[in-house]
Amino acid sequence: QVQLVESGGGLVQAGGSLRLSCAASGRTFSSYSMGWFRQAPGKEREFLAAISRSGGTTVHADFVKGRFTNSRDNAKNTVYLQMNSLRPEDSAVYYCAATTIGIDPAPPGLVAYDYWGQGTQVTVSS
């Protein structure tokens, strides 16, 4: 129903910043609550942030509050994750996800999300 493509990952030094983008297909982007997740080798996929359909409400995992900021531009069918003060432990594949779940923003559980992007690699060096 919707295709998601992440971009903006790369290699940065500790303390640096990256802005990830998630571009969605279709004209119904505003009908989806969106989330960001990441998965490091040997670890489970973990919730980072969620944003409401209008973009007016955001939720961030405690361990990224103050460093990561989720936003969306429905006119561009795009969700963003601004990541500042990056740490080596932030290294992971980052995914965006979409859901039509009635709860808005969507909850942090993976099962709440219906559609996933392919992921973009973020590597933070010491």
Side-chain angles (χ1 to χ4, degrees), residues 3-43:
Q3 291 181 305
L4 306 172
V5 180
E6 302 95 336
S7 62
L11 175 64
V12 298
Q13 295 184 45
S17 298
L18 285 174
R19 189 180 76 159
L20 305 184
S21 298
C22 174
S25 65
R27 296 181 177 181
T28 60
F29 178 65
S30 62
S31 69
Y32 296 96
S33 181
M34 301 294 295
W36 285 97
F37 295 79
R38 71 185 183 191
Q39 188 167 21
K43 295 186 177 181

Side-chain angles (χ1 to χ4, degrees), residues 2-125:
V2 62
Q3 291 181 305
L4 306 172
V5 180
E6 302 95 336
S7 62
L11 175 64
V12 298
Q13 295 184 45
S17 298
L18 285 174
R19 189 180 76 159
L20 305 184
S21 298
C22 174
S25 65
R27 296 181 177 181
T28 60
F29 178 65
S30 62
S31 69
Y32 296 96
S33 181
M34 301 294 295
W36 285 97
F37 295 79
R38 71 185 183 191
Q39 188 167 21
K43 295 186 177 181
E44 297 295 319
R45 193 166 297 188
E46 63 181 351
F47 171 80
L48 298 173
I51 189 165
S52 62
R53 289 165 172 81
S54 69
T57 305
T58 57
V59 175
H60 297 83
D62 287 342
F63 59 87
V64 301
K65 286 181 179 177
R67 298 194 300 124
F68 292 9
T69 303
N70 194 10
S71 62
R72 71 190 293 165
D73 186 342
N74 287 344
K76 296 182 178 179
N77 280 16
T78 302
V79 175
Y80 305 96
L81 186 67
Q82 178 67 45
M83 306 188 296
N84 300 324
S85 302
L86 285 164
R87 306 163 181 166
E89 54 263 40
D90 293 321
S91 297
V93 177
Y94 283 68
Y95 300 89
C96 66
T99 180
T100 58
I101 194 170
I103 304 170
D104 194 30
L110 277 68
V111 296
Y113 295 84
D114 303 306
Y115 309 99
W116 295 83
Q118 85 290 344
T120 185
Q121 178 71 50
V122 172
T123 303
V124 184
S125 62

